[in-house]
Amino acid sequence: CLDADAGHYVDTNASTSQTACLAGTYNANTGSTTSSDCLDADAGHYVPTTGQSSQTECAAGTYQASTGQSSCLDADAGYYVPTTGQTSQTECAEGTYQPNTGQTSCGNADPGYYIDATGSSGQTPCAIGTYQPDAGQTSCLDADAGHYVPTTAQTSQTECAAGTYQASTGQS
């Protein structure tokens, strides 16, 4: 008689065939005699098809929190998964964002924009009267007295022209 292949088992006498382990499970051993010899894929891993002898790590950008699964989940927008075999996704930090799913990192807010919360999928333009010259920031700067910012998403402030003045900060 033939031993059951890895990824399979034979649980009755006089069998003419072997049974494949289900998707989400695997069995590295030959000659298995019961379905309990098929092991659930670990969290952070998956087994996509039947009859497998090993499990596969979730790719970077994906994760799997549960055991016995046949696929991994893409990181949500506003989140990322930097390495393989992960059981959870990570929120983008303040000052960074990620508009797409299944990503391995987050990007900095552009100059003229800010992000003041974690897990953001977009960036916010600086309001009129404010500006931000640097990337990856969590707030904008008020225009100084003697200066103004007339439109949104600006990276600099403008001096009041000769013959004009502005005594207050944050003006347009």
Side-chain angles (χ1 to χ4, degrees):
C1 295
L2 305 173
D3 282 341
D5 296 330
H8 298 74
Y9 63 96
V10 179
D11 59 0
T12 58
N13 292 330
S15 291
T16 59
S17 63
Q18 57 185 347
T19 303
C21 293
L22 298 175
T25 71
Y26 70 102
N27 181 5
N29 301 314
T30 60
S32 294
T33 60
T34 176
S35 61
S36 63
D37 291 328
C38 300
L39 305 175
D40 283 344
D42 296 329
H45 298 72
Y46 70 106
V47 179
T49 57
T50 63
Q52 296 302 298
S53 61
S54 63
Q55 58 183 346
T56 304
E57 282 189 325
C58 292
T62 72
Y63 70 103
Q64 180 51 258
S66 302
T67 61
Q69 301 302 302
S70 59
S71 64
C72 298
L73 305 172
D74 283 343
D76 296 328
Y79 293 75
Y80 68 105
V81 180
T83 57
T84 62
Q86 296 303 297
T87 61
S88 63
Q89 57 184 345
T90 303
E91 282 187 322
C92 293
E94 290 183 355
T96 71
Y97 73 109
Q98 179 50 259
N100 301 313
T101 61
Q103 301 302 301
T104 60
S105 63
C106 300
N108 285 332
D110 296 325
Y113 293 79
Y114 71 101
I115 301 168
D116 62 357
T118 61
S120 293
S121 60
Q123 52 186 346
T124 304
C126 292
I128 290 172
T130 71
Y131 70 103
Q132 180 50 259
D134 299 319
Q137 301 302 303
T138 61
S139 63
C140 299
L141 306 172
D142 283 342
D144 296 329
H147 298 73
Y148 68 104
V149 179
T151 58
T152 62
Q154 294 305 296
T155 60
S156 62
Q157 57 184 344
T158 304
E159 286 185 325
C160 290
T164 71
Y165 73 102
Q166 178 52 260
S168 302
T169 61
Q171 301 302 303
S172 61

